[in-house]
Amino acid sequence: MRRDVFQAIADPVRRDIIELLATETLSVNEVAEKFEISRPAISKHLKILNECGIIDFNQIGRERLCLIQPQKLIPAFLWIKQYNKLWEDRIDSFENYINQIKTKNDKK
């Protein structure tokens, strides 16, 4: 199955795992302890993140450490960024509309 960054960020648990690993390297067990879902479910999410290239595993003794690969998130960032101007324009338009209504009400 083809995996990409968009599959990685499609699930809220995987987004939370990415956020967690962005601040520190954790073992698989330490990641599982941070969530209220089963360890096998966390392992499945970590496997998908690994297949998407978002995390790598580093075996140290009996522990498997999860290492984030932030450069793999760049395609998602670039895709979202292209819509930044669109949303800014819509928010500016909405702000102008609110100001017009406020001005009309102030004149009454």
Side-chain angles (χ1 to χ4, degrees), residues 18-57:
I18 291 168
E19 186 176 340
L20 184 65
L21 294 175
T23 58
E24 59 185 324
T25 299
L26 297 172
S27 69
V28 172
N29 286 333
E30 290 171 326
V31 171
E33 290 171 0
K34 305 278 186 183
F35 294 89
E36 294 183 8
I37 60 176
S38 69
R39 177 148 179 343
I42 289 296
S43 291
K44 184 176 178 182
H45 286 298
L46 291 172
K47 179 182 177 191
I48 292 170
L49 288 171
N50 179 254
E51 291 172 354
C52 294
I54 305 300
I55 65 167
D56 280 336
F57 295 111

Side-chain angles (χ1 to χ4, degrees), residues 88-106:
E88 285 178 356
D89 290 347
R90 288 184 179 190
I91 290 170
D92 288 345
S93 176
F94 182 69
E95 184 179 5
N96 290 337
Y97 175 72
I98 296 296
N99 286 336
Q100 286 174 355
I101 290 174
K102 185 178 177 187
T103 302
K104 280 183 184 177
N105 287 338
D106 288 345

